[in-house]
Amino acid sequence: MGVVEDARYDGVDRRPWGKFDRTTLRVYSLLFHLIDVGAVAGVLWDRFVTPSQRRVVSAGLNMPQEQARSVVCFVAAMHDIGKLIPYFQALEPAAYVRLGEDLLADTGPVVHVPHARASMHVGLQLLGELGFAVGGNDSPAVRAAQCLGGHHGRFLQLDVDGAASARRVEATLGGPAWQDLRRRYARLLWHLFGVDEAPNRLSVEAAVLITGLTMVADRVASQRRYWVPNADTPSFGAAEHHSRARRQAEEEVERLGLARFALDQIPFTTAHPGLTEPTALQRSVMEELPHLVAERGSGIAVVTDAMGTGKSVAALEMARIFNGHCGTQGVAWLLPATAAADQAYEVLDRYVRAHQVEYAPVTLVHHHSDLNEAYAGRRLSPDDSTVLDGPPDVPFTDGQDDLGADDEREYGPGTAGPDRWLRGRDNALLAQYTVSTTDQAQMAVLPVRHSALRMLALSGKTVVVDEAHALDPFSQLQLLRLLQWLGALNCPVVLLSATMPASTATELVRAYLSGAGRTGLHGASFAPGYPGWLFADAATATAHRMSGPAQDEQRAAQRRTARIRVRPVTYRRLGPAGRAVEAGERLAVIADVLQAVIRHGGCAAVVCATVADAQDTYASLRRIWAGPADDLVLVHARVRGRRRQNTLEAIRRRLGPTGRRPARRVVVTTSLLDVSLDIDVDLMVSDLASVARLLQRLGRLGRFTRLWTGQERRPVWWEDGDNMPTLTVLDPVNSRGVTALPPGWDTAEPAVALHATARLLPSLEKEPLVVPDDVQALVEHVHGVTSGFAAETTRLQQMAAAHQSRTGRQEQLSAVHLVPPAKRVSSLADLHRQHLTTAQAATRPGLLPRRLLPCYRSADGTLTLDAAGLLPLPDQEHFSPRHLRSILDHSLPVPAAWVTRTSARHQPPASWKQHPLLADIVLLPTDSVTRESEHRFGHHWLRLDEELGLQHRKQQ
């Protein structure tokens, strides 16, 4: 029979099942599911895939876009052709008995092969029959077959002459009757989706995007609420179902918020509420960049300027220009820390809403996004972090790649609305406008499941990397690889930084341009100047910089002065309560510097090197504090999630540009203050840090002085003396007056940078620091490749050598897990040579964190979240959103090494082990009777203080 006859009601056999509901015993035809996914892929191509991505796929297939669309739909529809094998069909006896006698008689030996791998093996021969050339790793048939095998998240190696050979397929995956039915299905799909001819090539970039699109289409069509109604309707022929499937797909893509939308051109002040006019840099971007992008096409931009001068607004304007000329739609805004991402989410959400779009979902993607009040979803359930109709995210090898019936498990009962579906972990990256921590994007270049989906989600937008200087060498290497891939996918990128060395900017730009295929870049510099911006187009690698007059205007408009004072201090931990703090100690000097605020009011920040130092500082200040208790605030990472979130939100609100400023407020914190918090303090004290970090902190000191001209927002002592904001830096010294770093101070930053900064600070005391004029020179002095500090003394030389060795080890460790650049991929399986889960894939050096849940144990052994015993820990099969949110709100992250040796009393309830959000939680119970709360985990002792947060000590 021909495909036309097969498409009719009484045509091809539709009894093989693709979906089965064990509760209601509903059976859904495999053929109809294949048609559903192909139809969704077509709508996604039209409504979700951007013009830029379509060009990449079209070029990768070497065919016009309309033909490329048909091929993409066909490949997506073929994703589950491997379910048409005896092993899969026998997984559900109730559905298996419905098969025709010819199939049941031709099963042969039932070999256990997961259907994703089976799709690749049977697909190779079918694709070859349809005209796909079969050859080596880069042949169209092999790569297309790997796309089929990769639809559950990982690309698999294909053995053309072995397991995928026609002889082995017929021997292990059903006899001639099964192969004939698979052939008829394939030809029918080829006909329904209008494929004219097979492509003569399939590039790596196109294969990754096609696979990512197939994953999304499969998730959409695999929702229980999507296919169950179809299983209840009267039977249709394939052609009739295809027509119906297209209408259903259009409705569903729209409902889930996946359809792209355009932002109208509106006035600058409307798009950015609260601004009266653009700065010189922003105006330069708006006037100079459009014609460059229109003429040259996509590329990478770098923006460097002082803290608090509007780089975010400049990035949004760049994104608008890139999207308008390069065929991308939307923004993926990446930041290094969750606190910064929370604030950026509000900025981006406000920007999108200012355009008055009827429905424009903006998502926030990081591990604690569910704690953000502005973003908190209405539901939080297991299906928010798992894949519909896919296996659990566990590593597997060729010998252990069968996951039994779980390979076909349906996750997530009930309905799925736009809020819930788009909030689901990697689904959230698919939203047109997304704010994310950088590590979520780095997963796209690590061998984790669904990395292709992440690459699809990122490459359709303008990617903004904020605070691009803030990553360590381990993470920086992953960012470089990500930029290479984004360059290969013709995706525009914007890098933002206030303290980026010229060498770092050049390295990042070169990585992007090399991914775009440009060579011979080693002698070129891509430093933008400070302040300023640079645009390097992907087509020619030409650097276009901000005009000189505009740069001078920006520098003059933002110029301000600040003073840095250095106080040598003796470092001693506070220790047991009641110890007297002696003059000259770090804690005594902090109290001395804060006297003006303590006595006369004002807002100050004390930035400590470690959490333990922040706890000591807060406890010491609390002993001498005479004002209201709420005027002294402690915030760091080792407190319960909800408390940390609420405290940061209160700080941003009260110390922000328009907040009701308190008469007195002292914030004791850690490096949480360093990244993108839009706040202003009148006085700041900081432990010794690198010049780059000190300059970041300086950006919060007197930040809104110009904005508040004529307003009574400063304390009375602000007008004393030279009216100059002052940053006091505490330099820990030994008995000889030489800088001596306390334990733990060199974990966040290299010791050589701290010592080099300490040697530089005395010279900065002599003259006021001028921002932005002095910033770049200071950064290059300590952090640049030409820094001369390392050569000044033998000790610094040794530190520099140790730092370079440690950096090399970090880069080597990071490189071990990186996927290769697109140009170096032969087999798509190269992208998943290692099988890491998202929990195992490190985006930063060191062990990954574990979640710790402080709780209380009553006299009868009951565990509760509160001391009063009113909130028992839930132990049940299904968790309500309220229960889940309550548990996560009370937890906090700790290094995994601290809780490696747990005992039975630290184990969560057994039911938690089955939940993806609760499985790894470690309990820290406090005895409600004895109030004993200190716990030993090997050499680590942990104790939760309700005021100070988690306290840690290590037994030597």
Side-chain angles (χ1 to χ4, degrees), residues 632-705:
L632 181 62
V633 179
L634 173 66
V635 57
H636 55 75
R638 289 189 213 147
V639 295
R640 290 187 176 99
R642 173 58 60 194
R643 175 183 163 187
R644 181 183 65 254
Q645 191 71 26
N646 290 343
T647 304
L648 283 171
E649 177 57 32
I651 291 172
R652 289 167 47 201
R653 185 175 64 251
R654 298 301 299 274
L655 302 185
T658 59
R660 183 182 176 186
R661 199 167 178 83
R664 179 189 290 104
R665 186 64 46 91
V666 173
V667 178
V668 180
T669 184
T670 58
S671 58
L672 282 176
L673 190 74
D674 290 353
V675 183
S676 296
L677 287 183
D678 194 21
I679 63 172
D680 173 297
V681 295
D682 309 309
L683 182 70
M684 183 177 290
V685 185
S686 171
D687 281 330
L688 178 65
S690 69
V691 158
R693 288 207 173 185
L694 292 179
L695 290 172
Q696 288 284 342
R697 294 168 188 176
L698 194 66
R700 278 82 187 165
L701 183 59
R703 186 184 186 101
F704 307 134
T705 300

Side-chain angles (χ1 to χ4, degrees), residues 88 113-116 152 389-392 401-409:
F88 178 88
V113 180
H115 80 260
H152 272 183
D389 189 34
D401 124 282
D402 51 17
L403 295 164
D406 281 343
D407 195 35
E408 320 306 335
R409 180 182 172 189

Side-chain angles (χ1 to χ4, degrees), residues 213-244:
L213 183 65
T214 301
M215 292 177 189
V216 179
D218 192 25
R219 292 186 184 193
V220 172
S222 294
Q223 297 172 98
R224 188 177 181 276
R225 56 162 301 282
Y226 189 92
W227 65 265
V228 164
N230 294 342
D232 291 335
T233 57
S235 297
F236 295 129
E240 193 174 3
H241 182 77
H242 176 240
S243 177
R244 185 177 186 275

Side-chain angles (χ1 to χ4, degrees), residues 393-414:
D393 192 0
V394 296
F396 61 87
T397 63
D398 286 345
Q400 183 209 344
D401 124 282
D402 51 17
L403 295 164
D406 281 343
D407 195 35
E408 320 306 335
R409 180 182 172 189
E410 288 282 354
Y411 292 94

Side-chain angles (χ1 to χ4, degrees), residues 52-53 56 205-206 208-209 455 459 484-491 515:
S52 173
Q53 291 174 314
V56 171
E205 296 89 340
V208 168
L209 295 184
M455 195 64 74
S459 62
Q484 285 181 309
W485 270 88
L486 294 177
L489 292 167
N490 210 31
C491 171

Side-chain angles (χ1 to χ4, degrees), residues 835-848:
H835 295 148
L836 299 182
T837 68
T838 53
Q840 295 168 329
T843 54
R844 292 173 185 160
L847 292 174
L848 295 169

